[in-house]
Amino acid sequence: MPVNETLANYSDWLYGAAALVYVFAMVLYTFEQAFTRRAKKSEGVARELVGAGAPVDPTPKIGRIDKPSAPDRPERFGRMAVALTVLGALLHLSSVALRGVATHRAPWGNMYEYGASAMLVAVVTWLVLLRKFDVRRLGAFVLTPVVILMFLGGTALYTAAAPVQPALQSYWLVIHVSAAILSSGLLLVPGVVSLLYLVRVAHDGDPARFAKLGPRLPEADSLDRLAYRTTIFAFPIYTFGIICGAIWAESAWGRFWGWDPKETVAFVAWVVYAGYLHSRATAGWRGSRAAVINSVAFGLIVFNLFFINLVIAGLHSYAK
Amino acid sequence: MRRLGAFLRNTWRGLTSMRTALILLFLLALAAMPGALLPQRSLNLPRALDYIDAHGWWGRLLDKLQFFDVYASVWFSAVYLLLFISLVGCLLPRTVDYAKALRAKPVLTPRNLKRLPHHETADLDATPQQVMADAGKALKGWRLVEREEDDGARSVSAEKGYLREAGNLVFHFAMLGLIVALALGKMFNYEGQVIVIADGDQFCNSGTLGYDSFRPGLRVDGTNLDPFCVRVNSFDATYLPNGQAEQFAAKVDYQAGGDLDTNTWRPYDLRVNDPLRTVGDRVYLLGHGYAPTFTVTFPDGQKRTQTIQWRPVDNLTLLSEGATKFDPPGVTDAEERRKKQIAITGLFAPTALIQDKILTSSHPSLSDPAVAVDVMRGDLGIDSGRGQSIFQIDQSLVDSGRLTRVARENLKPGGVITLDDGTKISFDGVVPWVSLQVSHDPTQVWVLCFAVGMVLGLGVSLRIRRRRLWVRATPDGEGRTVVAVGGLARTDQAGYGEEFHRLAAKLLGPRRDG
Ligand code: HEM
């Protein structure tokens, strides 16, 4: 079936609009950061710890309330930033959906589409986590890689809407790539949060380091927990995705595993994530070392998406 | 002797410790990486050889160190094996511990519950017995032990989440099984590739000679392959205007197992992603191309016709190159024959685009085929004993003047070239060919089962938390009871808090006053 050009164009515009809205949201998150003078010590911790041992205040505390009547400036910026992020995500979602309608297939048949969907997952993950953890201040840090990757996807990797080649026409494509998109989008958040954890720990150890940024970040503990929880949610999905890839490869390429560069790096990243989970159960490896491992593992996922696809041509002809 | 024993024991302990496992995991990741960055012999031999050539002593050194055969290298295997041993050594004691833990009672209530990461206390209007009964109700599904303490206090120890460790063990054991299944697969698998012209030609899996290339497992000698035959009747592809393939399929008939004895053929549509699965083998459609048909009419009137595959030089337009070689019929004198052999070599385009007499292809579909050929006459070197490519002529024979060009022309189907000695060469038409891969791997089903076991085990183990909770009810001597609740997550603190506070709220009720 031919591609519906009009819808494909709308999809492209929505993609650009979503990226732009994310940039605005980032600016507002940054304002919130900049205008918040003191560290909000008591709220850096995940909400679950609020009220430990004390009567629990049923209303969650959001932001610091200086003037009891109206939210103060940073608070307003923060809320606007979240609202904009939601708006961006909606535009982003429509862009992905329209691409699917325009091409009559699951909209993840090339790197541009893959990146677009994975970044959508990352943003949605972030929004979901916001409901549970008081980490709104980290918004700018999570959106930065999202916007950068979306920019690269929309320029260097952009692919016009088209049907996919025969090797990619399989329902395993839908399952395998969905799992890959879901897990890499999810894993972006712990990747970033682990880096921030390292910043925070460095600052806690020596207040002169990251003197500006350090105090504005949530407590190290809370960052560590956020990273761990998101990772253990994503890791089984990632494992499942690799296995589906193997099943697909078995029916498309004649072997379930062949150490194709893409498979190899996916495996390496998987092993490093397994290392992360182990490190949290190994004396002397918790904390900073685990955070480094987590960031490295996410780095490998990005490396796999960009470097391996673009520079090292393997069987995964996806990149073209 | 004792020293040796101690040494062995220490080595074993070291090897199976968590830290070693961690380091081995990183080593595995590190060792696997070069295979993604450097061309591998097993994947792309020409690229690997080019790379080695292009990098001089450095390339040769890397080659000596097996960097172009990473996954068969000594060092990769060593890491792999050490991990395997470490895994076994770690799993056995853990399984024993787990079996014990399943039967053991939850541990005694600690003296001071306030030291625990999660704790709450309250003063309640209830007897210790009532508190214990409430606790029993609130902690449904937990493993409980109630104990009486010296000072009239009562306490209950509760534990939950035993499935976590079970899931974890399932995961690691499944991984162990997967590693074993993979190793067995490497012994008994084979993989062969063959090109079949799609005009009713057939291929039978009767021995390695039938293949263009064959890669046996360590314990496969090429005899006793599972017998089956495939006949390729036709091949059909559709393309987008830009040349990207939309879909392709080959119509084949096959016979395997009992059908061989009764000579029954069964039809099958062979497609990418849709291999033919016979009793023990799988047949894949890997690629396709074109085979031009040429007829040579020799001066004495004898005709010879051949349809030989040419190979694509451009995958997007299927511009192909090749060499169709003819022996003059009826010439018995070898010396004489070597002067009269003929090769038709050059380019084939499925959709011809001719500019300044240069032939290129503008599209992969067979809509306007043409060839641009050089006709070579002389010694093809076929009987020199040196192997040669079926796609090329031996250039050294051209250089030495023993093979000379006698014509160069662009032809469309039906076109004819007449040589100086009266030999006529006609381009009759084109037939597609398909390249098939036959794969055999008796353990791959096992690998799949273990892989599924891994995901399930992992899911259980990561979603469930092993946690403990204690309640102590101490009468304060004035008719009220001090109730203390403490909690500890055994594996990772993350995320126990919410559940603990919910339970504590339930146990301590609305009457508490801190
Ligand atoms: C082949 C290499 C290995 C891989 C890929 C691997 C992978 C994993 C993964 C993904 C987990 C997380 C699941 C969970 O937390 O329940 C885990 C946990 C664990 N692994 Fe391994 N493992 C390997 C080898 C080993 C070895 C050799 C040991 C023993 C020294 C070991 C001991 C453990 C332990 C004790 C846990 C539980 C950690 C926790 O409770 O968080 N693993 N492993």
Side-chain angles (χ1 to χ4, degrees):
Chain A
M1 228 186 300
V3 169
N4 185 328
E5 301 286 345
T6 322
L7 291 186
N9 279 337
Y10 284 142
S11 163
D12 291 352
W13 291 337
L14 285 167
Y15 181 86
L20 204 62
V21 171
Y22 290 150
V23 173
F24 288 137
M26 265 165 66
V27 172
L28 289 177
Y29 282 125
T30 317
F31 279 172
E32 184 194 13
Q33 282 266 2
F35 287 110
T36 310
R37 308 234 169 247
R38 268 165 297 165
K40 310 182 200 169
K41 263 259 152 73
S42 60
E43 292 161 62
V45 193
R47 210 166 278 155
E48 64 183 36
L49 289 188
V50 170
V56 179
D57 177 0
T59 49
K61 301 189 190 94
I62 305 168
R64 183 183 194 78
I65 298 175
D66 285 332
K67 283 172 279 175
S69 51
D72 63 2
R73 244 193 338 181
E75 173 63 25
R76 273 208 313 272
F77 281 133
R79 284 194 192 170
M80 270 155 63
V82 173
L84 273 185
T85 313
V86 172
L87 174 67
L90 288 175
L91 294 171
H92 198 159
L93 176 69
S94 339
S95 162
V96 170
L98 272 186
R99 181 90 171 184
V101 176
T103 51
H104 317 285
R105 58 175 168 76
W108 35 83
N110 54 50
M111 276 183 70
Y112 160 71
E113 293 172 355
Y114 183 101
S117 305
M119 290 310 110
L120 176 62
V121 172
V123 174
V124 172
T125 306
W126 172 244
L127 288 172
V128 169
L129 286 171
L130 268 185
R131 294 171 58 94
K132 237 182 146 171
F133 296 88
D134 179 20
V135 283
R136 191 172 69 206
R137 281 164 277 168
L138 304 186
F141 298 103
V142 174
L143 282 184
T144 303
V146 167
V147 167
I148 292 175
L149 294 179
M150 277 181 81
F151 178 75
L152 284 177
T155 53
L157 307 179
Y158 180 75
T159 319
V164 289
Q165 36 184 309
L168 299 183
Q169 292 165 8
S170 152
Y171 52 84
W172 286 110
L173 163 75
V174 183
I175 304 175
H176 162 62
V177 184
S178 311
I181 286 172
L182 203 59
S183 48
S184 30
L186 280 162
L187 288 169
L188 181 138
V189 175
V192 171
V193 169
S194 293
L195 284 178
L196 296 175
Y197 172 90
L198 292 173
V199 170
R200 176 77 211 207
V201 168
H203 173 76
D204 288 348
D206 172 6
R209 299 179 63 194
F210 301 107
K212 263 212 155 85
L213 179 56
R216 295 206 173 111
L217 295 174
E219 303 282 326
D221 245 15
S222 162
L223 291 171
D224 180 50
R225 196 161 23 231
L226 181 63
Y228 177 68
R229 286 237 233 160
T230 321
T231 307
I232 61 171
F233 182 76
F235 186 67
I237 303 177
Y238 185 52
T239 312
F240 174 75
I242 293 180
I243 291 173
C244 291
I247 295 176
W248 178 25
E250 193 271 346
S251 59
W253 297 328
R255 80 292 182 293
F256 60 86
W257 194 266
W259 296 109
D260 182 70
K262 186 108 193 181
E263 289 169 0
T264 304
V265 178
F267 168 78
V268 170
W270 185 84
V271 171
V272 176
Y273 274 114
Y276 169 74
L277 296 178
H278 274 202
S279 72
R280 297 189 44 110
T282 309
W285 282 78
R286 299 183 184 94
S288 295
R289 285 190 188 180
V292 171
I293 298 168
N294 194 305
S295 312
V296 168
F298 182 69
L300 281 166
I301 286 191
V302 175
F303 175 79
N304 203 7
L305 182 58
F306 286 93
F307 189 78
I308 296 289
N309 269 354
L310 295 180
V311 183
I312 307 214
L315 270 177
H316 280 78
S317 41
Y318 217 62
K320 283 181 238 143
Chain B
M1 207 57 213
R2 285 242 314 275
R3 277 262 204 70
L4 184 70
F7 172 76
L8 286 178
R9 208 163 43 241
N10 282 339
T11 311
W12 178 248
R13 267 201 209 122
L15 196 57
T16 57
S17 78
M18 208 52 192
R19 180 176 319 231
T20 313
L22 192 54
I23 293 189
L24 286 175
L25 276 176
F26 293 134
L27 279 180
L28 180 70
L30 207 61
M33 207 56 190
L37 304 178
L38 295 171
Q40 296 295 298
R41 278 211 170 78
S42 57
L43 289 179
N44 196 334
L45 182 62
R47 277 247 322 263
L49 296 179
D50 282 353
Y51 189 94
I52 297 170
D53 275 350
H55 289 77
W57 67 271
W58 172 235
R60 286 192 299 277
L61 178 69
L62 284 180
D63 191 26
K64 272 234 172 63
L65 297 176
Q66 299 179 300
F67 272 88
F68 303 99
D69 302 281
V70 167
Y71 308 106
S73 69
V74 175
W75 38 275
F76 188 78
S77 314
V79 175
Y80 189 83
L81 195 70
L82 282 176
L83 247 179
F84 181 79
I85 297 172
S86 165
L87 195 54
V88 173
C90 154
L91 280 182
L92 293 181
R94 273 176 67 195
T95 312
V96 174
D97 286 350
Y98 182 61
K100 279 192 200 140
L102 275 185
R103 272 175 284 125
K105 289 183 178 155
V107 295
L108 278 179
T109 311
R111 279 266 124 237
N112 187 355
L113 291 178
K114 287 208 167 104
R115 292 238 181 92
L116 294 172
H118 305 284
H119 58 87
E120 285 181 34
T121 1
D123 223 353
L124 298 189
D125 265 334
T127 63
Q129 280 77 8
Q130 279 170 325
V131 172
M132 288 296 111
D134 286 349
K137 269 186 237 143
L139 295 172
K140 273 233 168 61
W142 291 62
R143 177 173 299 188
L144 298 174
V145 182
E146 199 179 318
R147 295 188 179 91
E148 188 135 6
E149 296 180 3
D150 324 331
D151 48 2
R154 300 181 74 90
S155 81
V156 61
S157 320
E159 184 151 356
K160 200 175 178 179
Y162 290 84
L163 264 184
R164 179 198 170 94
E165 182 69 359
N168 191 302
L169 288 173
V170 166
F171 166 78
H172 285 88
F173 271 113
M175 189 159 60
L176 205 61
L178 183 127
I179 293 175
V180 172
L182 279 179
L184 286 177
K186 280 272 164 290
M187 304 251 147
F188 297 106
N189 71 348
Y190 61 79
E191 204 175 87
Q193 275 150 10
V194 60
I195 284 179
V196 184
I197 308 279
D199 64 351
D201 252 18
Q202 80 182 48
F203 163 78
C204 288
N205 190 34
S206 46
T208 56
L209 284 181
Y211 287 101
D212 298 333
S213 71
F214 188 78
R215 221 178 4 210
L218 301 172
R219 303 236 138 202
V220 175
D221 57 7
T223 58
N224 294 326
L225 305 184
D226 294 329
F228 71 87
C229 288
V230 176
R231 184 166 68 202
V232 183
N233 298 320
S234 66
F235 173 80
D236 191 34
T238 53
Y239 303 93
L240 296 178
N242 69 1
Q244 185 187 323
E246 203 168 30
Q247 62 87 26
F248 38 86
K251 286 207 184 320
V252 304
D253 292 327
Y254 71 99
Q255 48 184 203
D259 288 350
L260 285 166
D261 304 325
T262 57
N263 198 17
T264 316
W265 291 93
R266 292 173 196 278
Y268 191 80
D269 266 357
L270 193 59
R271 290 167 190 280
V272 180
N273 285 328
D274 226 350
L276 166 65
R277 294 174 191 276
T278 66
V279 182
D281 297 77
R282 294 162 277 133
V283 182
Y284 295 87
L285 178 60
L286 278 199
H288 64 101
Y290 294 107
T293 305
F294 292 100
T295 299
V296 178
T297 313
F298 290 91
D300 58 1
Q302 294 206 64
K303 288 187 181 197
R304 290 289 179 273
T305 300
Q306 281 196 74
T307 308
I308 299 285
Q309 64 265 26
W310 286 22
R311 72 175 167 204
V313 287
D314 177 359
N315 278 321
L316 210 57
T317 64
L318 286 185
L319 183 71
S320 309
E321 64 169 13
T324 306
K325 301 170 189 174
F326 291 88
D327 244 354
V331 182
T332 43
D333 177 33
E335 198 54 39
E336 191 62 17
R337 192 167 69 223
R338 274 191 228 123
K339 290 190 180 131
K340 299 230 169 106
Q341 288 173 328
I342 285 179
I344 302 160
T345 172
L347 292 173
F348 165 83
T351 301
L353 185 68
I354 299 174
Q355 276 174 334
D356 303 330
K357 300 194 94 179
I358 308 283
L359 176 74
T360 53
S361 172
S362 61
H363 199 261
S365 65
L366 197 61
S367 40
D368 181 19
V371 286
V373 290
D374 285 345
V375 179
M376 313 295 294
R377 189 167 60 199
D379 181 5
L380 291 177
I382 298 172
D383 25 37
S384 68
R386 271 205 309 165
Q388 58 171 277
S389 159
I390 64 162
F391 300 111
Q392 279 166 341
I393 49 173
D394 188 339
Q395 188 59 36
S396 66
L397 294 169
V398 181
D399 296 341
S400 66
R402 291 164 67 191
L403 188 59
T404 47
R405 191 172 84 203
V406 287
R408 162 171 284 187
E409 204 130 352
N410 292 346
L411 296 178
K412 299 252 168 157
V416 177
I417 306 174
T418 308
L419 301 185
D420 48 7
D421 63 355
T423 305
K424 284 198 169 74
I425 291 169
S426 66
F427 172 39
D428 304 336
V430 195
V431 187
W433 55 257
V434 294
S435 97
L436 301 181
Q437 172 170 314
V438 176
S439 306
H440 175 84
D441 183 348
T443 61
Q444 80 168 20
V445 176
W446 289 103
V447 173
L448 180 62
C449 293
F450 286 124
V452 171
M454 279 172 66
V455 179
L456 294 181
L458 198 59
V460 167
S461 134
L462 290 178
R463 296 285 189 281
I464 293 179
R465 280 181 298 274
R466 180 105 178 255
R467 58 255 191 228
R468 290 176 171 166
L469 187 130
W470 295 274
V471 187
R472 173 176 286 122
T474 318
D476 69 352
E478 294 158 31
R480 288 164 69 86
T481 303
V482 178
V483 181
V485 188
L488 176 69
R490 282 199 56 195
T491 29
D492 206 298
Q493 294 301 333
Y496 182 34
E498 279 163 42
E499 186 189 16
F500 178 81
H501 290 297
R502 208 182 55 239
L503 282 168
K506 205 161 165 190
L507 289 166
L508 301 179
R511 287 165 294 180
R512 67 179 151 174
D513 46 38

